[in-house]
Amino acid sequence: MEHLRCPKCGMETDKPVCPLCGEEIIHKTHSKSALIGKFLPLPTKIIIALWILDSFYMLLSENHTFGQWIIVMLFGILIYGAITNAIYYFWWKPRKAKNKQHSSTYENKTFYSETNYAKEYHQKSFDAMEGHEFEYFCADILEKNGYENVEVTKGSGDQGIDIVAYKEGIKYGIQCKCYSSDIGNKAVQEAFAGKTFYGCHVAVVFTNRYFTKSAKELAEKNGVLLWDRDKLNVMASKAGVKQNSTTDNKDNRTININEARKVMRPYIYDEYLKVLYRQYPNDRIRAIKNFSISQNLSLRESKKIVDRYYNSMK
């Protein structure tokens, strides 16, 4: 099924209603030009255009009546169009799709097998892994936990994001840190900057350790998710990867899709309030009602948020 993009928050989904912000996504039907493009691909259009030009030359250079010329031209369009379409749809297009799929499969195999990380996952504790090795380990368990289109970015110049992954239409930018001590502010700052660079909805710092108090405060302020050692062990267990490392005695909690939505909510509110302010700059009551319906909030909560934004714009 074709993926649609929410006009409000930018989330990709195959559903008619955005699961993140509740916005209705209208899938426009194909126009006539799109249908013509589907049944008459570019090679067929070129062949038909050349035949029409050639038939014009025949009309001018030879002794043919206009009716004969029309018959010859239409006959040529049907014959050459049918032959070109058959070659395009039954030979060239399937071959191109097959080559593309083969290329993608080859890249993925090369991507994950260059250093044969997979065999080492069951033999080596993640505490003993090197930085790039830990990134591939995290990418592997993310895939096995239901994340899609998982991609490890290049080692140098990664702009603060080591892995890009999707789940339920939300794009995650993940920075991986395999350290021997707890993670501080720098990793949170880098992940937050990388989220903007890669156009992600949510930034994450994923580590084999825990986070300092200062890092937690900064992450909460900037909407960055912190996945610590407990989260890593839970995901590794779900992926069927046995680790011989021990888990520190802390609350074992799973960060799910609802937490990602919670992190994104202030940014969604801000974008939608901008739209409402442009549409109803002098009609605050209408803006409150629209905001309440779109964000599934009570009128009292919506009034507080809308009033705060409108007052800040004065």
Side-chain angles (χ1 to χ4, degrees), residues 141-165:
I141 64 173
L142 283 168
E143 282 194 331
K144 292 176 180 177
N145 276 267
Y147 289 79
E148 300 174 343
N149 299 325
V150 179
E151 180 185 351
V152 178
T153 60
K154 59 183 181 179
S156 58
D158 57 18
Q159 302 294 338
I161 296 297
D162 300 312
I163 300 173
V164 175

Side-chain angles (χ1 to χ4, degrees), residues 237-298:
S237 177
K238 287 183 178 180
V241 179
K242 296 180 180 179
Q243 288 290 323
N244 56 11
S245 61
T246 58
T247 304
D248 291 355
N249 187 21
K250 291 193 176 183
D251 292 336
N252 192 357
R253 60 191 182 90
T254 303
I255 300 176
N256 54 28
I257 199 73
N258 293 326
E259 291 195 69
R261 290 172 180 166
K262 185 178 179 181
V263 168
M264 292 179 63
R265 192 171 294 130
Y267 304 99
I268 297 171
Y269 286 176
D270 188 60
E271 290 301 316
Y272 195 61
L273 285 167
K274 290 178 182 177
V275 175
L276 288 176
Y277 188 77
R278 286 197 297 268
Q279 291 180 343
Y280 315 114
N282 300 315
D283 193 350
R284 194 174 298 194
I285 295 176
R286 194 170 181 181
I288 292 170
K289 290 180 179 179
N290 276 271
F291 189 82
S292 174
I293 294 171
S294 65
Q295 305 302 325
N296 196 25
L297 296 174
S298 67

Side-chain angles (χ1 to χ4, degrees), residues 129-144:
M129 292 180 182
E130 297 178 356
H132 210 50
E133 187 180 8
F134 182 68
E135 293 169 11
Y136 282 96
F137 169 75
C138 292
D140 184 60
I141 64 173
L142 283 168
E143 282 194 331
K144 292 176 180 177

Side-chain angles (χ1 to χ4, degrees), residues 16-46:
V17 177
C18 179
L20 185 64
C21 64
E23 178 76 1
E24 183 178 359
I25 305 172
I26 301 174
H27 181 49
K28 296 181 180 179
T29 56
H30 295 289
S31 61
K32 292 182 179 179
S33 59
L35 292 174
I36 293 172
K38 182 178 180 181
F39 293 106
L40 286 179
L42 183 61
T44 304
K45 292 177 182 176
I46 293 174

Side-chain angles (χ1 to χ4, degrees), residues 117 120-135 137 177-181 207-209 229 232 243-246:
Y117 289 138
E120 298 180 1
Y121 291 160
H122 299 276
Q123 303 171 1
K124 191 174 184 180
S125 167
F126 50 65
D127 290 323
M129 292 180 182
E130 297 178 356
H132 210 50
E133 187 180 8
F134 182 68
E135 293 169 11
F137 169 75
K177 292 293 184 185
C178 188
Y179 281 10
S180 58
S181 59
T207 180
N208 64 320
R209 297 298 304 172
R229 187 181 190 85
L232 179 60
Q243 288 290 323
N244 56 11
S245 61
T246 58

